[in-house]
Structure formats: structure tokens, C-alpha cells
Amino acid sequence: MTPIDNFEALHERGSPLILFNIWDAGSALAVARAGAKAIATGSASLAGAQGFEDGEGIPFEALLVTVRQIKAACPDLPLTVDFETGFASDLAALEANARALIDAGAVGCNFEDRWLDREGLRAIDDQADRIGTLARAGLFVNARTDLFLAAMPAGEDPNRADLVEGALERAAAYQAAGARSFFVPGLSDPDLIARMCEGAGLPLNVMRLSGMVDNAELAKLGVARISYGPGPWNEAMSAVERAAEAALMT
């Protein structure tokens, strides 16, 4: 089996791959020691650890440096990188970036269908072309739709049946383009998650949110991959800040 096939085999419906997202080589080693089956970066975490904002605020070359360091620290574990929108607008540049990411040690990536410089999501056909470019380059594409996250800043409920139907349409197109899993951050309702698992056609990836049912229940719903997103980074930095405050007050 190829590395990408081995990674794909970890995405088992009902026995999900747990990805406790990391941001550098040190955090990757800590998660590896805890028994991780794979290493996954988070975009906000990795950028923040280097002093940059999320949303491709980190220069792509700086991202590659960190990816190489993470892979060198954990050479035996598959590494998937939060690629955001690929740090490129045209397909040629996107392909070049995908190959650079693979050369740095990544087997897979998260890939978003939102626009970074405006509101809304890319047209389905446009995003499918971009996913196909990454898949042909040799990446395991975890195709992320921002349909649910996009509803949250406006105070809307992301757990809506109409958004699930829109997500299922995107899942079908992204699968046809070469995606190997489908990521629905922002969705937390168990019944709607079960509907996505049944209809998506791809292994479903959810992101842990406050108040969500536990991982065992998500497994029963049919989830194949659970990400922790920026949660580990936020908790770690809060712990550092509290410890520093305590030290500096003495």
C-alpha cells in the first residue's frame, strides 16, 4: 500500500481517526507520545505559533519550514496539513504548492471552499477543479466546506437541514473530483451529523465544539475522523499565560 492508501485506511466509519491538532515539532512529538495514529496541523495554531494571523497570514515558505520540522520529528506517522485555500489562486500555482507540500512531508491536506478575501463560498465547479488539481498532485484531500461555519458569525444556527442538503451536493462534487474525505466544521447536531454520514459518500470529518456529544457517540453516528481544530493551541496558550501571570506576580 502507498502512504496515501495507508492514511486513507485510518478513516474508518464508526472507529474514527482522532486528530489532536498541533502547531510545531514539539507539539507533534507530545501528541505522538500520547499514541496518535497521525499528525495534523491546524492553520490558526501553526500560524499563531509563528506570530502570524490565520487565513494564510503565514508566508507559504514559512509554513513549509514548519511542516519539514514536524515531519522530521515524527517521520513514522502520516502528516496532514491545514492548507486553507492552497496559498494560490490559479491552478498552476496551486499544483506547484501541492507538490511542495508533499516534498515537505505531507500526505494529506485540509482544503477549504471559502473565499479568503470576500464573503461566501466558491462555486462548486470551481472548487471541484481545485480539489482535482490537489488530488492529481498526490495529496489525500480532506475537502472542507464552510457552509456551517459561515452561518455562525451572523448569529445563525449552523445546524440546519437546508445547509446539510447544500453540503451533500458539495460532497458529491468533491468526491467526483478526487477528494477522499469530507470536513464539516461547525456542524454539531447528532441527527444532522448522522444524515451527513449516511449521504456524503465520503468518510466524514467533524470538528469538536463545546457542547458536542462525546467521541464515542460520534463514532456511533458513523463519523470517520474527528479534529480538534484550534482547541489544543488555545488551551496551551491559556495555560502558559496563567503560569506566566502567576510567576510575574511573585
Side-chain angles (χ1 to χ4, degrees):
M1 294 176 68
T2 66
I4 198 170
D5 291 331
N6 289 331
F7 185 54
E8 185 170 36
L10 297 175
H11 294 69
E12 185 177 349
R13 182 183 169 102
S15 182
L17 172 64
I18 308 298
L19 296 175
F20 197 80
N21 298 82
I22 58 88
W23 51 90
D24 60 11
S27 56
L29 282 169
V31 170
R33 288 194 297 267
K37 295 180 179 179
I39 299 296
T41 71
S43 65
S45 311
L46 190 151
Q50 306 301 321
F52 296 100
E53 295 294 327
D54 195 17
E56 297 182 10
I58 185 171
F60 185 57
E61 287 303 319
L63 171 68
L64 292 177
V65 168
T66 303
V67 170
R68 293 187 194 103
Q69 291 169 344
I70 293 167
K71 187 61 181 177
C74 301
D76 298 327
L77 291 176
L79 171 61
T80 183
V81 174
D82 193 333
F83 203 23
E84 301 193 75
T85 68
F87 294 79
S89 55
D90 66 87
L91 296 183
L94 183 63
E95 180 181 2
N97 287 351
R99 295 191 184 280
L101 198 64
I102 293 168
D103 289 343
V107 68
C109 70
N110 287 356
F111 192 58
E112 304 169 11
D113 58 8
R114 67 179 176 124
W115 293 97
L116 287 180
D117 60 351
R118 70 195 82 165
E119 293 184 358
L121 275 58
R122 290 180 181 271
I124 293 176
D125 289 347
D126 177 24
Q127 185 66 4
D129 287 343
R130 292 169 66 79
I131 288 169
T133 297
L134 299 185
R136 288 189 295 273
L139 282 169
F140 178 109
V141 181
N142 184 39
R144 167 177 148 171
T145 184
D146 278 68
L147 275 170
F148 303 100
L149 284 180
M152 298 173 76
E156 300 174 7
D157 183 3
N159 292 295
R160 297 183 352 227
D162 63 313
L163 294 181
V164 168
E165 292 307 311
L168 289 172
E169 181 183 6
R170 286 180 177 267
Y174 297 171
Q175 180 179 23
R180 301 208 185 196
S181 59
F182 190 58
F183 189 20
V184 289
L187 184 65
S188 61
D189 178 83
D191 291 338
L192 295 181
I193 289 173
R195 171 75 182 100
M196 285 297 314
C197 290
E198 292 167 3
L202 287 168
L204 191 75
N205 180 190
V206 300
M207 185 172 72
R208 284 228 59 87
L209 296 171
S210 177
M212 182 183 281
V213 297
D214 64 22
N215 288 353
E217 186 61 29
L218 289 172
K220 292 177 183 177
L221 296 175
V223 170
R225 174 168 166 167
I226 301 171
S227 300
Y228 277 69
W233 158 259
N234 291 336
E235 290 179 12
M237 293 304 100
S238 293
V240 169
E241 185 172 349
R242 289 193 301 271
E245 287 174 348
L248 294 170
M249 289 175 65
T250 58

